[in-house]
Amino acid sequence: MAITVKNPIVEMDGDEMTRIIWKMIKDKLLFPHLTLDLRYYDLGMKHRDDTDDKVTIDAANAVKEYSVGVKCATITPNAARVKEYSLKQAWKSPNGTIRSILDGTVFRKPIIVKNIPPAVRSWKKPISIGRHAYGDIYKSVEFKVPGAGTAELVFTPAAGGERVSLTIHEFKGPGVVMGMHNTEKSIRSFSRACINYALGEKCDLWFGAKDTISKTYHAFFKEVFDQEAGARKAEFEKAGARYRYMLIDDAVAQIMKAEGGMLWACMNYDGDVMSDMVASGFGSLGLMTSVLVSPEGKYLYEAAHGTVMRHYYEYLKGNPTSTNSVASIFAWTGAIARRGELDKTPEVTAFARRLEAIVVKIIEDGTMTKDLAAIAEPKVQKYALTEEFLDAVAARL
Ligand code: NAP
Ligand code: MG
């Protein structure tokens, strides 16, 4: 008998190979067991273009309304994609748009599987990364400087008073210039989200920035973190956890020697880059989960990887593919488990946890896709194709 999920989940469909996997997950693993009320938004490239990207905004607002969403990977168009899909324009990153509407923090955590040893020998426990999801280069203005001239930073106070003007550079010839910003409100809610996550998981919180070079911008992040963590010192002590500030390069060096088990809070760009490094270090991008948590407690789950374009082109040619669906499955189970918690329907949460346990067990028993087979210990001779893996999970459910 199917289990009924009481309240709606916002579903955002996506692109390429992950879109193919997405449908298989629903058809093989979810629909046979759950009665789901899905609020569907098609964030596939074509439909974003058709709606002038309005669908992305509507989908983000739906997460605000229903509290829980799940998102398939989507193309962020560049010049090549504009040509490939005959787009009206290079639409913004959907993730960027959604993050700025929800003003949330992205937490990424690897799925630990016994027979996939991390590339870094010291890593024993998952390293979670908290990526600030607002501002910096992701919400910047850029300008290609055509030739000699002066670039200035100007601030005009809304309340009147004196304008502030700083010279960025006296250009002698062509170059580039960028203006970026962040807000105290966003930095503070980011630090609070990280502190809540760390206290919830009873794990250490690391924060790294470059305040020695950026004595105002980066230093402000440090100041806010120090204040917020300082205010909750007693709770950290009670949880047996510690807050540590480090220079970002020191944090990178320390992480390679650490055992794991901490939350590493990162500024937006650092989080973008370091989450890919940590994911690869733990085995595969296909084992990295991701959740965007807003300060109001709205949750959007997804896989950390992209649309796996190379595999999609093989798929289109009719060639067999072996694409890892684990992170996409965990995006769904994350959303379903959260829905169950919010709705107080433990049977729904239990279904999600059981599905997760089955996925891990199947890999530990030796059935896995090519990306994992290449790094599994002991070695796995025969890897599963995309659909074979999902069928193996479906058979055990
Ligand atoms: P990607 O989709 O993450 O894939 C890069 C490579 O990593 C793949 O070619 C594959 O390596 C490996 N890989 C990633 N996920 C895998 C999985 N589930 N199973 C097996 N192998 C996996 O990144 P990309 O190809 O650079 O980007 C493709 C598109 O995704 C871009 O248009 C980008 O904008 C978008 N993107 C979206 C998101 C998002 O929506 N959250 C995030 C990142 C990128 P091999 O080819 O060696 O097998
Ligand atoms: Mg990245």
Side-chain angles (χ1 to χ4, degrees), residues 35-53:
T35 305
L36 281 156
D37 178 3
L38 297 173
R39 300 300 151 103
Y40 180 85
Y41 292 84
D42 185 359
L43 267 56
M45 194 64 259
K46 168 108 185 34
H47 194 239
R48 272 182 281 147
D49 195 52
D50 287 347
T51 60
D52 292 342
D53 210 21

Side-chain angles (χ1 to χ4, degrees), residues 20-33 394:
I20 307 294
I21 288 174
W22 201 249
K23 186 169 184 320
M24 289 185 194
I25 293 172
K26 288 189 289 178
D27 289 342
K28 291 175 191 286
L29 308 181
L30 306 178
F31 292 160
H33 307 281

